[in-house]
Amino acid sequence: MYNLIDGKKIASEIKLEIAAEVEKRLSAGKKVPHLAAILIGNEGSSETYVNNKVKDCAEVGFKSTLIRLNRDISETELLERIAGLNSDTDIDGFIVQLPLPEHISENRIIEAIDPEKDADGFHPVNIGRMVIGLDGYLPATPFGIVELLRRYKIETAGRNCVIIGRSNIVGRPLSILLSQKGMDATVTVVHSKTRNIENFTREADIIVAALGSPGFLKADMVKVGAVVIDVGTTRVQASGTKNGWKLVGDVDFYDVAPRCSWITPVPGGVGPMTRVALLRNTLMAAGKK
Ligand SMILES: NC(=O)c1ccc[n+]([C@@H]2O[C@H](COP(=O)([O-])OP(=O)(O)OC[C@H]3O[C@@H](n4cnc5c(N)ncnc54)[C@H](OP(=O)(O)O)[C@@H]3O)[C@@H](O)[C@H]2O)c1
């Protein structure tokens, strides 16, 4: 019988810890942490993500500012808004919600963010610090996954870990964190050009599915007793739901779960932990002042 990794519960616990830190700051006469978010356009899932982030801020006692910009904003104008946030001393951290419209370079925008205010942990300086094991702002989803493994005391040392997906925001940074001293996993990253992915996943003690293909991981790709972390969140049409859609993970949950020792659900697994990581980075930024 499998055990469920409850990301929602752990995220709530971490939020209480962060709220207690905010209280301590206030008692010491310090200001509350302030997170700003830039949202460009009104695409459904980005809108939901940003609204949730603003809600999280309120829950832990942070100040938040939501900056809505038109989809046709030029890259130069966006860079000017970023420069404004970089120099605003009241703002501790900020994010630019991705993806961006096609006429704007994601890399140029990420590089324009002051690394000290990089709440998403995407800036090359923070990625570099992570690679060599220095303290810094960690990318939200990899941090959330590592924190879930730690809090559930799931052993990673010496374990074979296979990550499906090599994106800059999930697969690649996670592979670095899990192979670092302290986590000590042996990590294999597979991707769309990997041949016979099942040959790798069948050998894995821990599988992280982060490819964005609903129900990709099936039971016959998983060894008995494996730990399975599902990062995927694809919106698929679903009649009878409030919004007409539901979130589906990259793991065929009901097929795979019976073979697992531990497994995350979607929703309620990695997603809430990603949101909490943003709060953690903002608190850290405020603490540096
Ligand atoms: N829960 C959360 O908080 C959270 C956070 C971030 C992302 N997500 C979700 O996680 C998923 C992945 O996100 P992402 O931003 O990392 O996606 P991405 O940038 O599209 O990267 C997907 C990765 O998966 C690989 N891939 C795609 N199809 C594959 C296949 N059939 N077999 C093997 N590898 C395949 C790609 O390989 P190539 O490099 O060869 O193209 C790529 O490396 C999405 O569903 C996203 O919505 C969830």
PDB file of all heavy atoms in Angstrom, residues 4-32:
ATOM      1  N   LEU A   4       0.904   8.598   0.688  1.00  0.00           N
ATOM      2  CA  LEU A   4       0.734   9.831  -0.065  1.00  0.00           C
ATOM      3  C   LEU A   4       1.637  10.927   0.503  1.00  0.00           C
ATOM      4  O   LEU A   4       1.685  11.135   1.720  1.00  0.00           O
ATOM      5  CB  LEU A   4      -0.731  10.258   0.050  1.00  0.00           C
ATOM      6  CG  LEU A   4      -1.286  11.090  -1.094  1.00  0.00           C
ATOM      7  CD1 LEU A   4      -1.203  10.339  -2.420  1.00  0.00           C
ATOM      8  CD2 LEU A   4      -2.715  11.481  -0.788  1.00  0.00           C
ATOM      9  N   ILE A   5       2.371  11.601  -0.370  1.00  0.00           N
ATOM     10  CA  ILE A   5       3.162  12.771   0.045  1.00  0.00           C
ATOM     11  C   ILE A   5       2.238  13.983  -0.082  1.00  0.00           C
ATOM     12  O   ILE A   5       1.852  14.362  -1.193  1.00  0.00           O
ATOM     13  CB  ILE A   5       4.407  12.927  -0.852  1.00  0.00           C
ATOM     14  CG1 ILE A   5       5.308  11.691  -0.724  1.00  0.00           C
ATOM     15  CG2 ILE A   5       5.164  14.200  -0.506  1.00  0.00           C
ATOM     16  CD1 ILE A   5       6.531  11.702  -1.631  1.00  0.00           C
ATOM     17  N   ASP A   6       1.871  14.538   1.061  1.00  0.00           N
ATOM     18  CA  ASP A   6       0.846  15.578   1.087  1.00  0.00           C
ATOM     19  C   ASP A   6       1.484  16.976   1.051  1.00  0.00           C
ATOM     20  O   ASP A   6       1.815  17.561   2.078  1.00  0.00           O
ATOM     21  CB  ASP A   6       0.002  15.389   2.361  1.00  0.00           C
ATOM     22  CG  ASP A   6      -1.212  16.299   2.378  1.00  0.00           C
ATOM     23  OD1 ASP A   6      -1.253  17.262   1.588  1.00  0.00           O
ATOM     24  OD2 ASP A   6      -2.135  16.037   3.184  1.00  0.00           O
ATOM     25  N   GLY A   7       1.658  17.493  -0.159  1.00  0.00           N
ATOM     26  CA  GLY A   7       2.309  18.795  -0.334  1.00  0.00           C
ATOM     27  C   GLY A   7       1.498  19.926   0.270  1.00  0.00           C
ATOM     28  O   GLY A   7       2.048  20.914   0.762  1.00  0.00           O
ATOM     29  N   LYS A   8       0.189  19.766   0.245  1.00  0.00           N
ATOM     30  CA  LYS A   8      -0.683  20.819   0.782  1.00  0.00           C
ATOM     31  C   LYS A   8      -0.460  20.968   2.293  1.00  0.00           C
ATOM     32  O   LYS A   8      -0.349  22.066   2.822  1.00  0.00           O
ATOM     33  CB  LYS A   8      -2.136  20.435   0.495  1.00  0.00           C
ATOM     34  CG  LYS A   8      -3.042  21.611   0.339  1.00  0.00           C
ATOM     35  CD  LYS A   8      -4.361  21.179  -0.222  1.00  0.00           C
ATOM     36  CE  LYS A   8      -5.396  22.218   0.175  1.00  0.00           C
ATOM     37  NZ  LYS A   8      -6.735  21.757  -0.040  1.00  0.00           N
ATOM     38  N   LYS A   9      -0.359  19.814   2.956  1.00  0.00           N
ATOM     39  CA  LYS A   9      -0.171  19.823   4.416  1.00  0.00           C
ATOM     40  C   LYS A   9       1.200  20.411   4.778  1.00  0.00           C
ATOM     41  O   LYS A   9       1.293  21.277   5.654  1.00  0.00           O
ATOM     42  CB  LYS A   9      -0.300  18.383   4.938  1.00  0.00           C
ATOM     43  CG  LYS A   9      -0.005  18.223   6.401  1.00  0.00           C
ATOM     44  CD  LYS A   9      -0.392  16.826   6.881  1.00  0.00           C
ATOM     45  CE  LYS A   9       0.486  16.372   8.015  1.00  0.00           C
ATOM     46  NZ  LYS A   9       1.686  15.634   7.593  1.00  0.00           N
ATOM     47  N   ILE A  10       2.236  19.955   4.085  1.00  0.00           N
ATOM     48  CA  ILE A  10       3.588  20.451   4.395  1.00  0.00           C
ATOM     49  C   ILE A  10       3.668  21.946   4.084  1.00  0.00           C
ATOM     50  O   ILE A  10       4.266  22.716   4.850  1.00  0.00           O
ATOM     51  CB  ILE A  10       4.658  19.671   3.579  1.00  0.00           C
ATOM     52  CG1 ILE A  10       4.617  18.184   3.926  1.00  0.00           C
ATOM     53  CG2 ILE A  10       6.055  20.232   3.835  1.00  0.00           C
ATOM     54  CD1 ILE A  10       5.041  17.811   5.327  1.00  0.00           C
ATOM     55  N   ALA A  11       3.051  22.355   2.993  1.00  0.00           N
ATOM     56  CA  ALA A  11       3.083  23.785   2.640  1.00  0.00           C
ATOM     57  C   ALA A  11       2.394  24.608   3.733  1.00  0.00           C
ATOM     58  O   ALA A  11       2.870  25.689   4.091  1.00  0.00           O
ATOM     59  CB  ALA A  11       2.412  24.003   1.287  1.00  0.00           C
ATOM     60  N   SER A  12       1.300  24.089   4.284  1.00  0.00           N
ATOM     61  CA  SER A  12       0.601  24.819   5.366  1.00  0.00           C
ATOM     62  C   SER A  12       1.503  24.941   6.584  1.00  0.00           C
ATOM     63  O   SER A  12       1.559  25.995   7.232  1.00  0.00           O
ATOM     64  CB  SER A  12      -0.679  24.100   5.796  1.00  0.00           C
ATOM     65  OG  SER A  12      -1.531  24.029   4.721  1.00  0.00           O
ATOM     66  N   GLU A  13       2.221  23.859   6.888  1.00  0.00           N
ATOM     67  CA  GLU A  13       3.145  23.907   8.041  1.00  0.00           C
ATOM     68  C   GLU A  13       4.234  24.959   7.817  1.00  0.00           C
ATOM     69  O   GLU A  13       4.559  25.735   8.706  1.00  0.00           O
ATOM     70  CB  GLU A  13       3.810  22.531   8.245  1.00  0.00           C
ATOM     71  CG  GLU A  13       2.863  21.498   8.831  1.00  0.00           C
ATOM     72  CD  GLU A  13       3.449  20.075   8.813  1.00  0.00           C
ATOM     73  OE1 GLU A  13       4.673  19.913   8.649  1.00  0.00           O
ATOM     74  OE2 GLU A  13       2.647  19.134   8.938  1.00  0.00           O
ATOM     75  N   ILE A  14       4.787  24.973   6.607  1.00  0.00           N
ATOM     76  CA  ILE A  14       5.866  25.940   6.319  1.00  0.00           C
ATOM     77  C   ILE A  14       5.315  27.366   6.362  1.00  0.00           C
ATOM     78  O   ILE A  14       5.978  28.286   6.848  1.00  0.00           O
ATOM     79  CB  ILE A  14       6.541  25.638   4.955  1.00  0.00           C
ATOM     80  CG1 ILE A  14       7.180  24.240   4.992  1.00  0.00           C
ATOM     81  CG2 ILE A  14       7.591  26.691   4.616  1.00  0.00           C
ATOM     82  CD1 ILE A  14       7.783  23.774   3.677  1.00  0.00           C
ATOM     83  N   LYS A  15       4.082  27.532   5.899  1.00  0.00           N
ATOM     84  CA  LYS A  15       3.488  28.884   5.945  1.00  0.00           C
ATOM     85  C   LYS A  15       3.345  29.366   7.389  1.00  0.00           C
ATOM     86  O   LYS A  15       3.576  30.532   7.684  1.00  0.00           O
ATOM     87  CB  LYS A  15       2.128  28.892   5.232  1.00  0.00           C
ATOM     88  CG  LYS A  15       2.282  29.034   3.722  1.00  0.00           C
ATOM     89  CD  LYS A  15       0.991  29.408   3.066  1.00  0.00           C
ATOM     90  CE  LYS A  15       0.434  28.253   2.322  1.00  0.00           C
ATOM     91  NZ  LYS A  15      -0.775  28.493   1.593  1.00  0.00           N
ATOM     92  N   LEU A  16       2.993  28.446   8.286  1.00  0.00           N
ATOM     93  CA  LEU A  16       2.905  28.829   9.710  1.00  0.00           C
ATOM     94  C   LEU A  16       4.278  29.240  10.228  1.00  0.00           C
ATOM     95  O   LEU A  16       4.410  30.216  10.967  1.00  0.00           O
ATOM     96  CB  LEU A  16       2.352  27.668  10.547  1.00  0.00           C
ATOM     97  CG  LEU A  16       0.870  27.354  10.375  1.00  0.00           C
ATOM     98  CD1 LEU A  16       0.471  26.133  11.206  1.00  0.00           C
ATOM     99  CD2 LEU A  16       0.012  28.565  10.780  1.00  0.00           C
ATOM    100  N   GLU A  17       5.319  28.501   9.815  1.00  0.00           N
ATOM    101  CA  GLU A  17       6.689  28.841  10.241  1.00  0.00           C
ATOM    102  C   GLU A  17       7.074  30.226   9.713  1.00  0.00           C
ATOM    103  O   GLU A  17       7.675  31.030  10.430  1.00  0.00           O
ATOM    104  CB  GLU A  17       7.693  27.798   9.708  1.00  0.00           C
ATOM    105  CG  GLU A  17       7.541  26.413  10.330  1.00  0.00           C
ATOM    106  CD  GLU A  17       8.257  25.310   9.530  1.00  0.00           C
ATOM    107  OE1 GLU A  17       9.113  25.643   8.688  1.00  0.00           O
ATOM    108  OE2 GLU A  17       7.939  24.134   9.749  1.00  0.00           O
ATOM    109  N   ILE A  18       6.709  30.502   8.455  1.00  0.00           N
ATOM    110  CA  ILE A  18       7.058  31.807   7.864  1.00  0.00           C
ATOM    111  C   ILE A  18       6.283  32.928   8.565  1.00  0.00           C
ATOM    112  O   ILE A  18       6.832  33.989   8.878  1.00  0.00           O
ATOM    113  CB  ILE A  18       6.793  31.802   6.338  1.00  0.00           C
ATOM    114  CG1 ILE A  18       7.775  30.830   5.661  1.00  0.00           C
ATOM    115  CG2 ILE A  18       6.918  33.200   5.743  1.00  0.00           C
ATOM    116  CD1 ILE A  18       7.559  30.618   4.168  1.00  0.00           C
ATOM    117  N   ALA A  19       4.994  32.662   8.846  1.00  0.00           N
ATOM    118  CA  ALA A  19       4.175  33.677   9.544  1.00  0.00           C
ATOM    119  C   ALA A  19       4.788  33.993  10.916  1.00  0.00           C
ATOM    120  O   ALA A  19       4.809  35.158  11.349  1.00  0.00           O
ATOM    121  CB  ALA A  19       2.736  33.175   9.694  1.00  0.00           C
ATOM    122  N   ALA A  20       5.319  32.970  11.590  1.00  0.00           N
ATOM    123  CA  ALA A  20       5.949  33.186  12.902  1.00  0.00           C
ATOM    124  C   ALA A  20       7.201  34.054  12.740  1.00  0.00           C
ATOM    125  O   ALA A  20       7.481  34.922  13.581  1.00  0.00           O
ATOM    126  CB  ALA A  20       6.302  31.841  13.539  1.00  0.00           C
ATOM    127  N   GLU A  21       7.939  33.855  11.648  1.00  0.00           N
ATOM    128  CA  GLU A  21       9.131  34.682  11.376  1.00  0.00           C
ATOM    129  C   GLU A  21       8.730  36.132  11.122  1.00  0.00           C
ATOM    130  O   GLU A  21       9.418  37.067  11.544  1.00  0.00           O
ATOM    131  CB  GLU A  21       9.892  34.154  10.138  1.00  0.00           C
ATOM    132  CG  GLU A  21      10.624  32.850  10.367  1.00  0.00           C
ATOM    133  CD  GLU A  21      11.710  32.955  11.441  1.00  0.00           C
ATOM    134  OE1 GLU A  21      12.402  33.980  11.484  1.00  0.00           O
ATOM    135  OE2 GLU A  21      11.825  32.010  12.248  1.00  0.00           O
ATOM    136  N   VAL A  22       7.607  36.313  10.442  1.00  0.00           N
ATOM    137  CA  VAL A  22       7.125  37.686  10.165  1.00  0.00           C
ATOM    138  C   VAL A  22       6.775  38.367  11.491  1.00  0.00           C
ATOM    139  O   VAL A  22       7.120  39.532  11.723  1.00  0.00           O
ATOM    140  CB  VAL A  22       5.903  37.663   9.207  1.00  0.00           C
ATOM    141  CG1 VAL A  22       5.320  39.059   9.032  1.00  0.00           C
ATOM    142  CG2 VAL A  22       6.302  37.093   7.855  1.00  0.00           C
ATOM    143  N   GLU A  23       6.112  37.636  12.384  1.00  0.00           N
ATOM    144  CA  GLU A  23       5.767  38.171  13.712  1.00  0.00           C
ATOM    145  C   GLU A  23       7.024  38.610  14.454  1.00  0.00           C
ATOM    146  O   GLU A  23       7.070  39.673  15.059  1.00  0.00           O
ATOM    147  CB  GLU A  23       5.027  37.105  14.543  1.00  0.00           C
ATOM    148  CG  GLU A  23       3.582  36.898  14.153  1.00  0.00           C
ATOM    149  CD  GLU A  23       2.748  38.170  14.330  1.00  0.00           C
ATOM    150  OE1 GLU A  23       2.931  38.857  15.345  1.00  0.00           O
ATOM    151  OE2 GLU A  23       1.949  38.468  13.415  1.00  0.00           O
ATOM    152  N   LYS A  24       8.049  37.751  14.383  1.00  0.00           N
ATOM    153  CA  LYS A  24       9.323  38.061  15.062  1.00  0.00           C
ATOM    154  C   LYS A  24       9.920  39.340  14.494  1.00  0.00           C
ATOM    155  O   LYS A  24      10.433  40.179  15.238  1.00  0.00           O
ATOM    156  CB  LYS A  24      10.324  36.911  14.838  1.00  0.00           C
ATOM    157  CG  LYS A  24      10.333  35.888  15.941  1.00  0.00           C
ATOM    158  CD  LYS A  24      11.628  35.077  15.874  1.00  0.00           C
ATOM    159  CE  LYS A  24      11.335  33.607  15.862  1.00  0.00           C
ATOM    160  NZ  LYS A  24      12.383  32.765  15.341  1.00  0.00           N
ATOM    161  N   ARG A  25       9.863  39.482  13.175  1.00  0.00           N
ATOM    162  CA  ARG A  25      10.408  40.687  12.538  1.00  0.00           C
ATOM    163  C   ARG A  25       9.662  41.920  13.045  1.00  0.00           C
ATOM    164  O   ARG A  25      10.263  42.944  13.360  1.00  0.00           O
ATOM    165  CB  ARG A  25      10.267  40.610  11.011  1.00  0.00           C
ATOM    166  CG  ARG A  25      11.246  39.694  10.329  1.00  0.00           C
ATOM    167  CD  ARG A  25      11.023  39.721   8.808  1.00  0.00           C
ATOM    168  NE  ARG A  25      11.200  41.056   8.249  1.00  0.00           N
ATOM    169  CZ  ARG A  25      12.373  41.571   7.883  1.00  0.00           C
ATOM    170  NH1 ARG A  25      13.465  40.846   7.994  1.00  0.00           N
ATOM    171  NH2 ARG A  25      12.440  42.795   7.396  1.00  0.00           N
ATOM    172  N   LEU A  26       8.337  41.779  13.121  1.00  0.00           N
ATOM    173  CA  LEU A  26       7.531  42.931  13.566  1.00  0.00           C
ATOM    174  C   LEU A  26       7.876  43.303  15.007  1.00  0.00           C
ATOM    175  O   LEU A  26       8.046  44.485  15.334  1.00  0.00           O
ATOM    176  CB  LEU A  26       6.036  42.600  13.445  1.00  0.00           C
ATOM    177  CG  LEU A  26       5.475  42.665  12.019  1.00  0.00           C
ATOM    178  CD1 LEU A  26       4.021  42.230  12.006  1.00  0.00           C
ATOM    179  CD2 LEU A  26       5.602  44.087  11.465  1.00  0.00           C
ATOM    180  N   SER A  27       8.007  42.289  15.863  1.00  0.00           N
ATOM    181  CA  SER A  27       8.350  42.554  17.272  1.00  0.00           C
ATOM    182  C   SER A  27       9.709  43.240  17.381  1.00  0.00           C
ATOM    183  O   SER A  27       9.964  43.993  18.312  1.00  0.00           O
ATOM    184  CB  SER A  27       8.408  41.282  18.099  1.00  0.00           C
ATOM    185  OG  SER A  27       7.346  40.476  17.800  1.00  0.00           O
ATOM    186  N   ALA A  28      10.590  42.935  16.420  1.00  0.00           N
ATOM    187  CA  ALA A  28      11.932  43.530  16.458  1.00  0.00           C
ATOM    188  C   ALA A  28      11.946  44.897  15.756  1.00  0.00           C
ATOM    189  O   ALA A  28      13.009  45.470  15.524  1.00  0.00           O
ATOM    190  CB  ALA A  28      12.933  42.589  15.802  1.00  0.00           C
ATOM    191  N   GLY A  29      10.757  45.377  15.376  1.00  0.00           N
ATOM    192  CA  GLY A  29      10.667  46.705  14.748  1.00  0.00           C
ATOM    193  C   GLY A  29      11.051  46.719  13.281  1.00  0.00           C
ATOM    194  O   GLY A  29      11.308  47.769  12.704  1.00  0.00           O
ATOM    195  N   LYS A  30      11.091  45.529  12.660  1.00  0.00           N
ATOM    196  CA  LYS A  30      11.446  45.480  11.231  1.00  0.00           C
ATOM    197  C   LYS A  30      10.173  45.495  10.383  1.00  0.00           C
ATOM    198  O   LYS A  30       9.099  45.136  10.864  1.00  0.00           O
ATOM    199  CB  LYS A  30      12.242  44.208  10.934  1.00  0.00           C
ATOM    200  CG  LYS A  30      13.584  44.172  11.645  1.00  0.00           C
ATOM    201  CD  LYS A  30      14.283  42.867  11.364  1.00  0.00           C
ATOM    202  CE  LYS A  30      15.589  42.781  12.101  1.00  0.00           C
ATOM    203  NZ  LYS A  30      16.111  41.414  12.137  1.00  0.00           N
ATOM    204  N   LYS A  31      10.320  45.855   9.117  1.00  0.00           N
ATOM    205  CA  LYS A  31       9.137  45.913   8.248  1.00  0.00           C
ATOM    206  C   LYS A  31       8.731  44.513   7.760  1.00  0.00           C
ATOM    207  O   LYS A  31       9.559  43.592   7.782  1.00  0.00           O
ATOM    208  CB  LYS A  31       9.392  46.842   7.069  1.00  0.00           C
ATOM    209  CG  LYS A  31      10.271  46.257   5.993  1.00  0.00           C
ATOM    210  CD  LYS A  31      10.339  47.232   4.831  1.00  0.00           C
ATOM    211  CE  LYS A  31      10.818  46.554   3.566  1.00  0.00           C
ATOM    212  NZ  LYS A  31       9.969  45.557   2.990  1.00  0.00           N
ATOM    213  N   VAL A  32       7.468  44.395   7.316  1.00  0.00           N
ATOM    214  CA  VAL A  32       7.043  43.086   6.800  1.00  0.00           C
ATOM    215  C   VAL A  32       7.667  42.874   5.418  1.00  0.00           C
ATOM    216  O   VAL A  32       7.862  43.838   4.663  1.00  0.00           O
ATOM    217  CB  VAL A  32       5.498  42.949   6.688  1.00  0.00           C
ATOM    218  CG1 VAL A  32       4.844  43.016   8.043  1.00  0.00           C
ATOM    219  CG2 VAL A  32       4.909  43.949   5.740  1.00  0.00           C
TER     220      VAL A  32
END
